[in-house]
Amino acid sequence: MKLIRDYPLLISLHKSGSTWVFSYIHKHYRKRGITMPPNNFYSEFFVDDPYFSQRHLRTYSLNKIKNEFIKRSLEERFALLELLRKFGLELALKAHVPEIIDIWPRFKEFYKDYDILVLKRRHIFSHYLHILFFHCVKEAVSKETIGDRILKGREEKSWTSLVPSKIQHGQSEDILKSTIIEYNVQFKHHDIVLKRFTRNIRFLNDVVIEELDKPEVIFTEDITTDWLRNRFNVDLKKTVEPFKTLDFATYFKPEELKIVHDKLYERFDNEFKYMGYLFQ
């Protein structure tokens, strides 16, 4: 099968701008394929985490459609993709590296002939700090929410809703700031975050990019709305916007920020700088 440019597939790490890029891909698919509701609950199709599933089953207990979706195994999800393909249809989705590592051989084979874009953030320190920032928030806030009632527990998992106890489903910048105050979030280095980030960067560059047949590698810092509009031949009236007043570095104490900086720089100097990244 030759390359099918009508069906782009986005692969990236978390916090790389994938929601922004995928918003254009999602609209592109409306004319050519199958789309689900335009939110990460559906578009991050290969999430397969028992705790993630149970949390959503409780949190969204009144939404039968979401409940049915989140219960489906990876095998069932692949079966859906295969059935759609038999009908000549493709499903719009995005793939984050942590979600495809364990299914990589099957994933690679299934999408080998398709228009694959690999999205990277060139400024690796900013990217890592973004990820670490949200890990610290997630560690501090409740790990399960039901309406506006908070249940404590499950410290080892990273899935959570950033919802202060007095506000339901809050995701705005102001609500995030109030969450930080309410839960007295402590921003610091975490070995597990650096370990996972290193693994994911390596997999993206050494496996995904190397094993796929010439995917289009793009840096978030290099693309614009005009580029996305032309690449996918669609226009959006409203686009995803980044936080405007959050400076992640300012939330870390100077001594903690230095630890974060030095530990990541060691990895950067040894290997990441050879992958096209800059330490910014």
Side-chain angles (χ1 to χ4, degrees):
M1 184 186 297
K2 65 180 181 179
L3 178 73
I4 307 298
R5 194 170 179 82
D6 275 349
Y7 296 118
L9 172 69
L10 181 67
I11 303 175
S12 74
L13 269 65
H14 290 277
K15 308 303 181 185
S16 296
S18 60
T19 300
W20 175 44
V21 176
F22 183 74
S23 63
Y24 286 83
I25 294 175
H26 187 274
K27 187 169 184 179
H28 174 90
Y29 266 75
R30 295 180 207 172
K31 299 179 180 178
R32 298 167 174 82
I34 298 292
T35 61
M36 292 189 289
N39 60 61
N40 289 339
F41 182 91
Y42 294 103
S43 63
E44 296 177 8
F45 189 76
F46 292 106
V47 172
D48 182 38
D49 185 289
Y51 168 58
F52 177 83
S53 300
Q54 290 302 314
R55 178 173 69 82
H56 276 81
L57 283 172
R58 288 189 285 268
T59 303
Y60 299 103
S61 57
L62 298 180
N63 189 325
K64 294 182 179 180
I65 296 177
K66 282 188 175 181
N67 283 357
E68 287 304 314
F69 177 80
I70 200 64
K71 289 190 295 186
R72 300 305 167 188
S73 67
L74 285 175
E75 191 62 37
E76 290 174 303
R77 296 182 189 210
F78 266 113
L80 172 60
L81 296 174
E82 290 166 351
L83 180 61
L84 289 173
R85 186 168 289 182
K86 288 180 180 179
F87 282 85
L89 297 168
E90 295 294 322
L91 179 67
L93 58 86
K94 59 179 176 178
H96 286 136
V97 166
E99 298 151 16
I100 62 173
I101 289 178
D102 292 339
I103 59 171
W104 176 246
R106 186 175 185 180
F107 179 92
K108 179 179 66 172
E109 177 64 23
F110 192 81
Y111 287 108
K112 65 181 181 180
D113 298 309
Y114 283 68
D115 179 18
I116 297 177
L117 294 89
V118 175
L119 180 66
K120 299 169 59 174
R121 281 184 65 174
R122 179 179 285 111
H123 299 158
I124 198 165
F125 183 62
S126 298
H127 186 188
Y128 177 65
L129 206 61
H130 193 164
I131 290 174
L132 180 59
F133 173 91
F134 278 99
H135 176 88
C136 293
V137 174
K138 291 172 181 179
E139 183 185 60
V141 303
S142 304
K143 296 301 185 290
E144 298 178 31
T145 59
I146 302 180
D148 60 355
R149 193 159 57 85
I150 301 300
L151 303 179
K152 304 292 184 181
R154 299 189 181 272
E155 293 297 330
E156 76 281 4
K157 292 295 183 179
S158 62
W159 294 105
T160 187
S161 296
L162 300 180
V163 184
S165 58
K166 299 178 180 64
I167 304 174
Q168 184 175 356
H169 303 309
Q171 298 293 333
S172 74
E173 188 168 344
D174 288 340
I175 292 175
L176 177 56
K177 290 178 179 178
S178 69
T179 301
I180 292 169
I181 295 172
E182 182 175 354
Y183 290 96
N184 189 28
V185 179
Q186 301 299 306
F187 295 94
K188 58 185 179 178
H189 164 74
H190 287 271
D191 283 330
I192 188 63
V193 181
L194 181 59
K195 181 179 179 180
R196 290 171 180 167
F197 185 73
T198 299
R199 176 201 64 179
N200 294 337
I201 289 287
R202 288 171 177 165
F203 193 87
L204 183 68
N205 289 273
D206 296 338
V207 179
V208 173
I209 293 175
E210 291 299 318
E211 294 187 5
L212 292 174
D213 185 18
K214 299 178 180 178
E216 182 176 2
V217 180
I218 55 178
F219 285 96
T220 309
E221 292 85 351
D222 294 342
I223 60 177
T224 64
T225 53
D226 285 339
W227 187 92
L228 292 168
R229 187 184 303 115
N230 293 330
R231 176 62 170 82
F232 302 113
N233 195 29
V234 297
D235 196 8
L236 300 183
K237 294 181 179 179
K238 184 178 181 180
T239 59
V240 178
E241 295 183 355
F243 292 133
K244 296 179 180 179
T245 63
L246 273 179
D247 182 350
F248 298 123
T250 62
Y251 285 87
F252 292 79
K253 295 178 180 178
E255 59 271 22
E256 287 294 338
L257 190 61
K258 185 178 187 306
I259 294 173
V260 173
H261 175 283
D262 292 350
K263 287 185 175 292
L264 181 64
Y265 187 81
E266 182 181 358
R267 296 266 49 85
F268 170 79
D269 195 45
N270 288 335
E271 54 182 312
F272 295 160
K273 66 183 181 183
Y274 303 109
M275 300 173 179
Y277 296 102
L278 298 177
F279 200 81
Q280 297 179 23

